């Protein structure tokens, strides 16, 4: 059935491409024809998997570009189809009928819950984990359950684990992977590091003995330098940490070289650190990584800027409290007068549980320079109530129509921030493009 599975997947993908569509349906069909197709594939080079709650798409794409700059022919799921069917689609459309994958390296972004369906069935050379945060409780369940689902497939893993050494929930994976070699990435203490934090923090307790973790400092949320007060679990040695972080200029130092980050925010620095860790593991040139950072495209809807005449608009995706808090920090730095439009949906892809908005520091945007906050989406009234609880002195407006909400938010002479959950991101972007004549 292997050949039929590959051929059918290829044909289906080609037909969808003719009508301007993509997605994971070809892989779903391929899996129905041969549920074990992944274990029957042959590779000409290393397979690299990337997972984590926040930043995995940007990180995976930069790692793919890193290998490409280093002269590899890369097979990747660049558009972020990171469930099992999406990964099968990416691989089979780049396979011969005998099952040999074209390309000298495969770089695959993997949804956290799908790691258990992918890692054991591919010859994975390196497994990169960015971070773990509470996200989409109705789908992903509690974070402990999610991490355990990954831990269960690690005892027999013999490749490289490339882990965020500042996240105790990621570092704990090393305890279950006795046959793997671990490389850790992270950031040194810097002027933005905090001795105390009141952000939503999932890394409060030791995964070994259950005692409280002590932090020397926090970078954001529970990411930082930690040690157990009862056992020897602690931040591992990070051989090449990023140093001298400058979030105003978005620069850092790596091995005494100043490098420009392509994206804003502390969390984006960790994406860069992951890329550089992969560079070290595969002995690639630093110049190949620097080219990645210099030419990294701005992902759609991730701090995406639009401008037209006297109007500016910035669009950002939010999907969980930690990511949303980082967006709040970026907006908080901007003292320009502004209008903010928040689109809160609760469809299956967003997560039907929207209680996470109460773990987000919306007070950072409820200040004098914010002239109005427009709430829309399927849970617009919940969002408006959340802003009301912050004692915001400006105008809170609920507009049920997304198009009208964005139209009302785009005011000449005022900067507009649009904050959207997953299913609202592209509809919001389409309206912004239309209204601003892009």
């Amino acid at each position: 059935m292997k050949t039929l599975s590959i051929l059918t997947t290829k044909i289906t993908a080609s037909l969808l491409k003719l009508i301007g569509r993509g997605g994971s349906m070809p892989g779903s069909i391929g899996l129905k024809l041969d549920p074990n197709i992944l274990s029957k594939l042959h590779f000409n080079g290393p397979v690299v998997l990337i997972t984590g709650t926040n930043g995995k798409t940007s990180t995976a794409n930069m790692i793919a570009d890193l290998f490409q700059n280093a002269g590899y022919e890369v097979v990747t799921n660049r558009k972020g189809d990171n469930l099992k069917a999406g990964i099968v689609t990416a691989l089979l459309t780049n396979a011969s009928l005998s099952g040999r994958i074209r390309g000298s390296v495969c770089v695959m972004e993997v949804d956290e819950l799908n790691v258990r369906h992918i890692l054991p069935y591919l010859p994975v050379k390196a497994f990169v984990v960015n971070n773990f945060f509470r996200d989409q409780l109705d789908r992903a369940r509690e974070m402990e359950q999610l991490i355990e689902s990954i831990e269960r497939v690690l005892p027999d893993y013999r490749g490289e684990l490339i882990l965020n050494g500042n996240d105790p929930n990621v570092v704990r994976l090393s305890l279950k992977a006795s046959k793997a070699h671990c490389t850790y990435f992270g950031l040194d203490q810097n002027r933005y590091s905090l001795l105390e934090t009141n952000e939503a923090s999932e890394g409060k307790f030791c995964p070994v003995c259950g005692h409280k973790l002590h932090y020397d400092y926090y970078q954001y949320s529970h990411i930082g330098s930690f040690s157990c007060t009862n056992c020897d679990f602690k931040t591992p040695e990070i051989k090449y940490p990023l140093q001298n972080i400058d979030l105003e200029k978005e620069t850092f130092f790596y091995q005494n070289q100043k490098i420009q980050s392509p994206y804003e925010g502390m969390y984006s620095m960790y994406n860069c650190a992951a890329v550089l860790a992969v560079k070290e593991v595969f002995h690639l040139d630093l110049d190949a990584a620097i080219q990645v950072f210099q030419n990294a495209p701005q992902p759609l809807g991730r701090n995406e800027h639009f401008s037209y005449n006297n109007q500016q608009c910035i669009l950002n995706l939010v999907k969980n409290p930690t990511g949303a808090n980082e967006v709040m920090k970026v907006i908080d730095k901007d003292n320009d007068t502004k209008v903010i439009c928040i689109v809160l949906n609760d469809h299956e892809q967003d997560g039907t549980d929207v209680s996470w908005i109460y773990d987000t520091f919306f007070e950072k945007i409820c200040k004098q320079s914010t002239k109005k906050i427009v709430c829309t989406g399927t849970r617009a009234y919940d969002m408006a109530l959340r802003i009301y609880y912050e004692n915001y002195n400006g105008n809170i407006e609920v507009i049920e129509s997304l198009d009208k909400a964005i139209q009302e938010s785009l005011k000449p002479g005022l900067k507009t921030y649009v904050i959207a959950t997953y299913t609202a991101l592209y509809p919001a972007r389409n309206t912004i493009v239309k209204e601003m004549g892009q």
Side-chain angles (χ1 to χ4, degrees):
M1 297 297 288
K2 177 179 73 174
T3 301
L4 180 60
S5 174
I6 296 171
L7 181 60
T8 304
T9 300
K10 284 175 170 291
I11 292 172
T12 306
S14 296
L15 291 174
L16 287 175
K17 188 176 181 180
L18 287 175
I19 60 175
R21 292 181 56 190
S24 59
M25 186 176 75
S28 297
I29 296 172
L31 283 167
K32 285 189 178 296
L33 292 170
D34 191 341
N36 300 313
I37 187 63
L38 284 177
S39 60
K40 299 177 181 179
L41 301 176
H42 308 284
F43 296 84
N44 297 315
V47 177
V48 181
L49 301 184
I50 300 94
T51 198
T53 307
N54 292 333
K56 55 183 172 287
T57 299
S58 296
T59 302
N61 287 343
M62 287 196 290
I63 290 172
D65 290 339
L66 171 70
F67 280 105
Q68 187 170 313
N69 290 345
Y72 287 75
E73 183 182 354
V74 182
V75 173
T76 186
N77 54 341
R78 189 173 292 275
K79 292 184 179 180
D81 291 327
N82 59 22
L83 303 183
K84 184 177 181 180
I87 291 169
V88 169
T89 299
L91 291 175
L92 297 195
T93 54
N94 286 280
S96 67
L97 294 181
S98 66
R100 181 160 294 280
I101 304 298
R102 303 187 191 93
S104 50
V105 64
C106 288
V107 177
M108 292 288 153
E109 174 192 344
V110 186
D111 170 77
E112 305 95 290
L113 282 176
N114 276 256
V115 169
R116 66 186 189 274
H117 301 306
I118 303 298
L119 184 70
Y121 306 103
L122 295 178
V124 178
K125 174 68 175 177
F127 180 36
V128 183
V129 186
N130 251 4
N131 48 61
F132 288 127
F133 298 107
R134 182 161 50 89
D135 183 43
Q136 296 187 10
L137 292 179
D138 52 298
R139 186 185 77 88
R141 299 168 293 178
E142 289 293 341
M143 194 175 62
E144 184 71 18
Q145 294 173 292
L146 184 150
I147 296 173
E148 287 178 352
S149 76
I150 297 175
E151 288 179 329
R152 284 194 288 270
V153 299
L154 291 178
D156 293 326
Y157 176 63
R158 296 177 179 273
E160 188 82 27
L161 274 178
I162 302 178
L163 305 177
N164 183 345
N166 291 144
D167 186 340
N169 297 317
V170 172
V171 172
R172 65 180 275 187
L173 297 180
S174 65
L175 304 176
K176 301 293 184 180
S178 60
K179 298 175 183 178
H181 180 268
C182 295
T183 295
Y184 300 96
F185 61 89
L187 276 59
D188 268 356
Q189 187 172 8
N190 54 74
R191 58 180 160 140
Y192 308 98
S193 304
L194 302 171
L195 299 181
E196 300 288 341
T197 183
N198 60 348
E199 294 184 11
S201 299
E202 288 86 8
K204 292 182 178 180
F205 300 100
C206 176
V208 177
C209 68
H211 281 70
K212 188 174 182 179
L213 289 176
H214 166 76
Y215 277 79
D216 293 327
Y217 58 85
Y218 298 87
Q219 306 288 23
Y220 70 100
S221 189
H222 64 270
I223 307 297
S225 177
F226 57 88
S227 59
C228 179
T229 57
N230 184 64
C231 71
D232 60 358
F233 182 75
K234 62 180 180 179
T235 301
E237 179 187 3
I238 298 172
K239 193 172 182 181
Y240 299 111
L242 305 194
Q243 300 173 319
N244 299 329
I245 305 298
D246 187 334
L247 294 182
E248 278 70 44
K249 297 179 181 178
E250 303 301 339
T251 59
F252 60 87
F253 277 77
Y254 181 75
Q255 298 182 26
N256 297 318
Q257 184 163 344
K258 187 177 183 179
I259 298 175
Q260 181 78 47
S261 169
Y263 307 121
E264 292 186 60
M266 185 72 74
Y267 59 97
S268 295
M269 294 291 177
Y270 278 93
N271 297 346
C272 295
V275 174
L276 290 166
V278 172
K279 177 201 81 68
E280 296 293 341
V281 167
F282 287 91
H283 308 291
L284 306 177
D285 289 339
L286 180 57
D287 285 345
I290 292 174
Q291 289 178 38
V292 170
F293 301 145
Q294 289 175 341
N295 300 300
Q298 183 66 50
L300 298 182
R302 274 73 164 184
N303 204 41
E304 186 177 7
H305 289 245
F306 303 86
S307 60
Y308 181 70
N309 290 339
N310 195 31
Q311 178 68 56
Q312 293 185 65
C313 182
I314 299 94
L315 174 63
N316 263 304
L317 169 70
V318 294
K319 59 176 184 173
N320 56 50
T322 298
N325 281 334
E326 292 305 298
V327 171
M328 297 304 115
K329 292 175 186 177
V330 171
I331 299 175
D332 186 38
K333 290 193 303 182
D334 186 352
N335 292 318
D336 292 344
T337 54
K338 63 184 74 69
V339 175
I340 296 175
C341 178
I342 306 175
V343 194
L344 179 63
N345 281 354
D346 64 349
H347 299 305
E348 183 178 356
Q349 300 96 317
D350 305 292
T352 56
D353 183 346
V354 298
S355 61
W356 60 268
I357 63 176
Y358 286 90
D359 290 324
T360 299
F361 295 143
F362 285 105
E363 66 266 24
K364 289 184 177 295
I365 64 174
C366 295
K367 54 185 189 177
Q368 190 172 358
S369 60
T370 302
K371 300 305 178 184
K372 180 169 66 173
I373 296 179
V374 178
C375 301
T376 189
T378 58
R379 300 295 287 270
Y381 289 93
D382 297 79
M383 192 67 246
L385 182 63
R386 174 69 184 90
I387 298 299
Y388 173 79
Y389 283 147
E390 291 298 341
N391 296 314
Y392 173 57
N393 293 322
N395 182 26
I396 304 172
E397 189 170 352
V398 175
I399 302 177
E400 294 185 5
S401 165
L402 172 62
D403 289 347
K404 290 181 180 179
I406 292 177
Q407 290 167 5
E408 182 61 27
S409 302
L410 293 171
K411 296 296 184 184
L414 291 179
K415 187 177 291 184
T416 303
Y417 282 91
V418 177
I419 304 167
T421 52
Y422 188 77
T423 61
L425 184 68
Y426 288 106
R429 187 181 187 277
N430 292 339
T431 299
I432 293 169
V433 169
K434 178 182 177 182
E435 292 298 317
M436 298 189 71
Q438 301 289 299

